[in-house]
Amino acid sequence: EKKTDVKQIKFVAEWVKRIDEQNEEDYASLKQLYIDNANVIGITCNQSGSKEFTENYPEFDVCIIDEVSKATPPELILPILKAKKIILVGDHKQLPPMIGMETYDEVAKQLEISEEETEHMKVSLFEELFEKASDDIKIMLSTQYRMHNQIMDNINQFYQDENDVGLNCGIVNPD
C-alpha cells in the first residue's frame, strides 16, 4: 500500500471511531468540521431562520430556492437575506403559496383592512418578480419530463402564451 492510502485508512478509522463513541465533545467538533468544509447546504426556507442555523451559516455566496412559487414572502426573506446571489426556481403557473385566499380576506376583516389593500398579498411574489424581470435574467423552460403527454396536453392551456405552442413532452415513448 502507498503511504497516502495508509494515512487515509487511519484517518477514516479514527473518524469512524470518534463517531461510534458518541462523545459529545467529539460530536460537536466533528459537526463544526463538517460545517466549516461544506460546499452545499440543503434546508427549508423556514429552517434557514433558526438561531442555530444562522450562527453556523451566517452568509452564502449563492442561495438557490426551488419551488419558489409555493413560498410566501416571509418564507423567502430568510434565505434571501443570507445570500450574495439568489437563484429562484419555480413555476408561477402551477401551485401558488399554500395560504388560501379566504385566509387573506379573513385577516383583512379582523384587522379592518380593505380587500384592495390585501390584493398584493394574493399574488405570488415569484410571479410578480418573474413578470417584472428583464428577459436576460429569466427563462421559462418549454420541455417537461415528469408527466405523460396526455396529461401535459390538458395543462397546456396555461402555457400557450409562453411560446405559442405550450409545453413539449420530453418523455420518449410515453405510451
Side-chain angles (χ1 to χ4, degrees):
E1 293 180 45
K2 294 180 183 175
K3 202 175 199 178
T4 55
D5 291 342
V6 172
K7 201 174 189 179
Q8 279 183 319
I9 291 168
K10 285 182 180 179
F11 176 79
V12 170
E14 179 63 28
W15 185 275
V16 170
K17 180 182 169 194
R18 288 176 68 187
I19 291 171
D20 284 344
E21 290 174 357
Q22 296 183 359
N23 175 325
E24 211 170 296
E25 189 176 303
D26 274 349
Y27 175 80
S29 69
L30 289 172
K31 181 179 175 184
Q32 192 58 51
L33 181 63
Y34 175 78
I35 288 168
D36 292 344
N37 291 286
N39 291 328
V40 176
I41 306 296
I43 193 163
T44 67
C45 290
N46 288 334
Q47 290 172 323
S48 71
S50 74
K51 183 177 188 267
E52 181 183 1
F53 186 81
T54 300
E55 288 171 355
N56 287 321
Y57 307 100
E59 180 178 88
F60 290 98
D61 293 326
V62 178
C63 175
I64 302 171
I65 304 174
D66 192 16
E67 298 291 347
V68 74
S69 59
K70 291 193 279 188
T72 63
E75 289 173 315
L76 293 173
I77 211 73
L78 297 169
I80 285 174
L81 289 174
K82 295 174 180 262
K84 296 174 188 169
K85 182 177 187 176
I86 298 115
I87 299 172
L88 303 176
V89 181
D91 184 350
H92 58 283
K93 295 185 182 229
Q94 292 185 20
L95 291 174
M98 293 298 157
I99 296 177
M101 294 303 137
E102 63 279 350
T103 304
Y104 290 114
D105 296 336
E106 186 179 313
V107 169
K109 186 180 276 187
Q110 286 178 350
L111 297 175
E112 298 178 5
I113 299 171
S114 72
E115 285 187 32
E116 293 81 36
E117 291 176 291
T118 62
E119 285 304 310
H120 72 280
M121 293 189 302
K122 295 178 181 179
V123 177
S124 159
L125 176 61
F126 179 67
E127 180 177 1
E128 194 174 327
L129 292 172
F130 185 86
E131 295 300 330
K132 289 180 180 176
S134 64
D135 289 341
D136 62 326
I137 65 165
K138 68 180 180 181
I139 187 168
M140 185 78 165
L141 302 179
S142 61
T143 304
Q144 66 78 27
Y145 299 91
R146 294 172 31 179
M147 66 183 88
H148 191 278
N149 62 349
Q150 290 175 335
I151 297 170
M152 182 200 68
D153 289 343
N154 219 10
I155 67 159
N156 249 343
Q157 61 185 312
F158 301 108
Y159 294 90
Q160 293 297 326
D161 61 331
E162 294 304 322
N163 58 12
D164 296 325
V165 178
L167 295 173
N168 299 307
C169 187
I171 299 173
V172 180
N173 300 322
D175 296 323

